[in-house]
Amino acid sequence: MNVIEKNEVREGQVIDLTHEGHGVVKLDRYPIFIPNALINETIEYKVIKVKKNFAIGKLIDIKVKSEERVEPPCVYYYKCGGCQLQHMTYQAQLNMKKEQVINLFQRKAGFKDTVIHDTVGMENPWYYRNKSQIPVGKNDEQNVIMGYYRQRSHQIIDMDECLIQDNIHQEVMNKIKLWFNELNVSTYNEHKKQGLMRHVVIRTGHHSGELMVVFVTNGKKFKQSGIIVEKLLTAFPNIVSIKHNINDTHSNVIMGQTSHTLYGKDEIQDTLSDVTFKINDQSFYQINSVQTEKLYQKAIDYAELQGEETVLDTYCGIGTIGLYMAPKAKHVYGVEIVAEAIADAQQNATLNQFENTTFVCGKAEEVILKWKADGIKPDVVMVDPPRKGCDESFLDTLLELNPRKIVYISCNPSTQQRDAQQLATQYKLTQITPVDMFPHTTHVETVAQFERR
Ligand code: SAH
């Protein structure tokens, strides 16, 4: 006999939120997770799935509404898989992200003395994405549609606006959709694995205003490209680069290996603080430029550079953090596993006339061993791994190198917490600041400062 049965309709009080932003109702100690329900609400829900340790419910009615509930401004919000938190005030989102970090670090892992600051939010948390990767398809009437995928599916929702992508991207998207229809551009069908146009990728330099448009196609022939390039240039004078990327794999990866330039330069330029970056269609570049500056500034504050330090920038991508720090350090060594990103980092170092940087392609866990063998003695180490966190042996070598400070940026606080426990033998985790890089989504980014004991 289950605590609760499928299809039952019940009333309950929401007492907590999961890290996915789902409301939690409890029957004794058995939790029911209910998307779109908020803390302190009294709700009516229908049980849609029952498991041994939890159930999932569907929100039917709100009897007592939370003060943190708002009407989602986006008309596609309840269908689209892009945002998860638009039904709560922005302040409630920031609080939720901080609470998650407190839970992980203070309650779970026992870092009782670590100061956890308020989440650094955006003044205007809309239109922040500098890169939009928009799927292209056709509806039943054979009209071209463009927009983002429905939750947990690859069904495209036709949109004329996405409130988190750069404002100019709406206009570019809508014009391109119109021209694709007028010119009868063939679109890719994922099920049949046929058709041409897969995605339109739009990138903007937040400070420079430079625009890049990339057409991602299945196959090489894009016979309307000439006329579309002409139309784009007339409509959008800020365009500096139009590219054609070929992806004839049938996977979920958006971009293929080869691109060529249809118009203008191969890349756009942008600046973060005073550092200039060249960004091509394939480069990894932080999505939210406004918040990236705040994140990197926090990292610099935590590093407490005096100008004479040797700094390691590990998992460096195109070297943004290291280049940001170069003017304030003696020498910066960067390591990154993707060869193209390292080429970008080197090019960007030259572009900014930095002579105190060295970027190496390889696995952080291997290159750090080599640096140690070469006798490099870092004062500060920046760590910014992917979601799975650091390799255990990387952290062992880091402990042997024994830098004065470690600044650890993470897009997944739960692996950061695991790694923090390994560092805790030798380092005090002094403070953590969550920075909201992706408003209205459940992503949490943190920057943590470790001091040698
Ligand atoms: N610091 C950069 C990028 C962080 S994303 C920035 O702020 O823009 C994490 C990076 O780690 C990615 O670029 C990924 O390619 C790289 N990476 C993943 N595994 C790695 C490993 N074992 N060694 C080095 N780099 C790795």
Side-chain angles (χ1 to χ4, degrees):
M1 178 69 189
N2 290 320
V3 196
I4 200 167
E5 298 294 332
K6 193 172 166 178
N7 292 328
E8 245 184 273
V9 174
R10 292 226 184 191
E11 203 172 287
Q13 174 90 25
V14 181
I15 55 160
D16 205 356
L17 280 182
T18 68
H19 64 270
E20 288 164 305
H22 299 169
V24 184
V25 170
K26 279 195 177 164
L27 285 176
D28 290 328
R29 294 173 65 192
Y30 181 84
I32 301 121
F33 302 120
I34 303 147
N36 298 316
L38 293 179
I39 268 186
N40 292 331
E41 289 188 326
T42 307
I43 58 161
E44 195 173 75
Y45 62 95
K46 183 174 177 180
V47 181
I48 54 172
K49 194 185 250 177
V50 179
K51 295 269 186 189
K52 190 159 165 269
N53 297 322
F54 67 93
I56 309 267
K58 184 174 185 236
L59 181 64
I60 294 182
D61 193 20
I62 304 166
K63 304 285 181 191
V64 180
K65 213 190 229 184
S66 161
E67 283 175 5
E68 294 177 336
R69 179 172 290 280
V70 288
E71 193 56 43
C74 171
V75 293
Y76 312 105
Y77 173 64
Y78 288 115
K79 289 189 263 176
C80 176
C83 292
Q84 300 81 38
L85 305 178
Q86 279 196 26
H87 60 291
M88 49 175 103
T89 61
Y90 187 50
Q91 189 55 48
Q93 297 179 23
L94 297 176
N95 295 347
M96 172 190 149
K97 292 180 185 187
K98 176 182 180 181
E99 200 54 34
Q100 194 185 325
V101 178
I102 291 178
N103 248 328
L104 272 169
F105 283 85
Q106 289 188 339
R107 302 207 182 102
K108 254 193 174 161
F111 287 102
K112 300 273 183 245
D113 303 330
T114 303
V115 181
I116 296 174
H117 297 281
D118 287 347
T119 310
V120 177
M122 297 187 79
E123 239 164 80
N124 173 17
W126 302 102
Y127 306 114
Y128 60 80
R129 290 189 62 99
N130 60 31
K131 174 167 122 179
S132 303
Q133 309 192 99
I134 312 163
V136 184
K138 281 203 174 127
N139 62 12
D140 292 342
E141 289 77 44
Q142 295 307 303
N143 290 319
V144 175
I145 55 173
M146 286 174 73
Y148 294 98
Y149 294 132
R150 191 175 285 274
Q151 290 166 12
R152 292 174 295 276
S153 105
H154 266 202
Q155 189 191 339
I156 298 168
I157 302 170
D158 190 30
M159 298 181 180
D160 47 27
E161 186 172 47
C162 163
L163 299 184
I164 62 169
Q165 69 185 14
D166 191 297
N167 231 334
I168 188 84
H169 296 191
Q170 335 288 353
E171 290 174 49
V172 177
M173 170 174 88
N174 289 327
K175 281 278 195 295
I176 288 176
K177 196 192 314 184
L178 189 80
W179 301 329
F180 280 174
N181 267 318
E182 281 174 7
L183 298 166
N184 252 322
V185 172
S186 150
T187 63
Y188 182 65
N189 181 314
E190 228 177 49
H191 301 291
K192 295 185 183 151
K193 304 186 187 343
Q194 281 171 2
L196 184 74
M197 194 60 62
R198 302 174 68 123
H199 277 85
V200 172
V201 179
I202 312 168
R203 297 189 94 149
T204 319
H206 176 78
H207 289 291
S208 68
E210 292 191 353
L211 253 179
M212 169 185 278
V213 177
V214 189
F215 296 98
V216 184
T217 65
N218 168 41
K220 294 192 185 73
K221 258 207 176 126
F222 173 22
K223 59 177 193 282
Q224 300 93 335
S225 66
I227 178 150
I228 288 180
V229 165
E230 241 173 73
K231 284 177 180 286
L232 271 172
L233 293 176
T234 314
F236 303 101
N238 282 359
I239 289 188
V240 297
S241 171
I242 304 176
K243 300 187 85 158
H244 179 192
N245 174 273
I246 294 146
N247 180 3
D248 47 19
T249 68
H250 297 295
S251 73
N252 281 343
V253 178
I254 294 177
M255 298 264 223
Q257 302 281 341
T258 48
S259 312
H260 59 268
T261 303
L262 296 171
Y263 163 82
K265 297 192 221 164
D266 296 337
E267 69 279 300
I268 54 171
Q269 273 192 200
D270 196 27
T271 54
L272 285 174
S273 195
D274 290 332
V275 188
T276 305
F277 296 95
K278 277 192 176 168
I279 309 149
N280 68 40
D281 53 318
Q282 309 259 10
S283 300
F284 175 87
Y285 189 66
Q286 295 279 354
I287 295 295
N288 184 334
S289 304
V290 173
Q291 293 302 89
T292 299
E293 287 188 321
K294 294 182 195 165
L295 179 76
Y296 290 176
Q297 190 52 52
K298 192 53 78 181
I300 289 186
D301 294 347
Y302 282 2
E304 292 174 26
L305 298 179
Q306 310 290 328
E308 274 311 304
E309 289 85 354
T310 299
V311 177
L312 305 186
D313 178 11
T314 61
Y315 308 87
C316 71
I318 61 165
T320 25
I321 299 175
L323 294 169
Y324 218 81
M325 292 192 161
K328 302 170 187 78
K330 188 166 104 194
H331 200 96
V332 176
Y333 295 88
V335 57
E336 157 64 44
I337 203 164
V338 175
E340 291 83 3
I342 284 295
D344 284 346
Q346 285 160 342
Q347 205 192 9
N348 288 328
T350 310
L351 183 71
N352 290 283
Q353 296 171 335
F354 293 150
E355 281 162 10
N356 60 340
T357 60
T358 310
F359 289 99
V360 180
C361 179
K363 288 186 181 164
E365 53 273 28
E366 290 171 5
V367 173
I368 196 174
L369 269 177
K370 188 184 163 292
W371 282 338
K372 184 172 163 257
D374 291 347
I376 292 168
K377 293 195 168 55
D379 302 289
V380 173
V381 176
M382 308 300 303
V383 183
D384 186 9
R387 289 191 66 77
K388 66 174 193 224
C390 298
D391 189 274
E392 221 181 298
S393 70
F394 169 85
L395 295 173
D396 285 337
T397 315
L398 182 53
L399 287 171
E400 286 166 23
L401 282 170
N402 204 26
R404 181 169 54 74
K405 286 220 160 58
I406 298 169
V407 180
Y408 186 146
I409 298 178
S410 169
C411 53
N412 183 356
S414 72
T415 55
Q416 186 184 34
Q417 179 252 76
R418 177 201 67 205
D419 292 349
Q421 299 193 44
Q422 198 178 335
L423 295 174
T425 49
Q426 237 165 278
Y427 285 82
K428 182 172 179 322
L429 174 50
T430 45
Q431 49 185 335
I432 305 177
T433 301
V435 178
D436 195 22
M437 302 294 280
F438 299 96
H440 313 294
T441 78
T442 53
H443 292 282
V444 182
E445 188 102 4
T446 49
V447 48
Q449 183 195 46
F450 294 84
E451 264 173 15
R452 193 165 58 200
R453 286 188 198 279

